[in-house]
Every structure is written in C-alpha cells, then in structure tokens.
Amino acid sequence: FAVFRAARLLRLARIVRLVKTCPELQVLCNGLLASFAASMWCAVLLGLFCYAGALLCTDLLGREPEFQELYGSVLTSMLTHVKLSLVEAWPDMVTPMVVHSSLWA
C-alpha cells in the first residue's frame, strides 16, 4: 500500500509542477483560491446573521408555549432560521406565527 501512496504523491507533485510551468494555470488556481476565501467569509457572515436572528427569536418567541418547539433554544432557533431560508417545511413553521399574530402575515 505504501508504494501506491508514493505513486499518488508523485502524480500530485507532477500536477503541481505543471501548474508552476504554465502561468495561465497559476492565474486560474490563484483565482480559485481567492474565491474560496471570499466564499468562506460570506459563510461566516451568514452564520453571524443567523446567530443574531436566533438570539432575537429565542428571546422574543421562545417563551411562548406554541413556539417552544421551533424557538426554545438558540440552536433550535438557528436550525429554524436555516430551514426558513431554504424554504423547507415553510407552512409548518409559519402557520403558528400567523395564527399568533397578524404582524407575521
């Protein structure tokens, strides 16, 4: 098995050498790495917004008995926010809020 691993590492080294010799591939790889970093920062920012919304909803809605299942803790509130943003089970989550208050409608 060690021989196969060494062969794979040599193949990887050959690909890295190819990227170094071709400037167009270097530009492409640098662009991909930069876009990956930007995507990770977007994910961090979305996570922070989801956390802030979960804190707010847990504080405002978590005390109500009919919302305890959806907003009882910060983690369940974050999961509810992710489900709402993905429009998964939308009617099941929104119906209790609309019944509770017409502001949600």
Side-chain angles (χ1 to χ4, degrees):
F1 293 113
V3 175
F4 292 122
R5 281 190 185 166
R8 275 192 225 139
L9 286 175
L10 286 175
R11 188 181 310 157
L12 184 64
R14 193 172 61 195
I15 291 172
V16 169
R17 190 180 66 206
L18 176 68
V19 169
K20 285 185 178 182
T21 59
C22 186
E24 292 86 4
L25 283 176
Q26 279 184 337
V27 170
L28 182 66
C29 289
N30 289 338
L32 285 173
L33 288 175
S35 68
F36 180 72
S39 297
M40 286 297 108
W41 280 114
C42 286
V44 167
L45 187 63
L46 285 172
L48 286 174
F49 281 133
C50 183
Y51 181 70
L55 287 175
L56 183 69
C57 286
T58 302
D59 190 37
L60 295 177
L61 300 172
R63 298 178 187 150
E64 302 289 331
E66 59 265 15
F67 299 133
Q68 192 69 34
E69 183 182 339
L70 296 174
Y71 301 104
S73 69
V74 175
L75 288 176
T76 57
S77 293
M78 286 182 72
L79 180 63
T80 302
H81 275 90
V82 170
K83 285 182 180 180
L84 286 173
S85 67
L86 296 174
V87 193
E88 177 188 341
W90 175 267
D92 298 336
M93 289 184 223
V94 175
T95 303
M97 290 187 269
V98 172
V99 169
H100 181 71
S101 172
S102 63
L103 294 173
W104 297 99

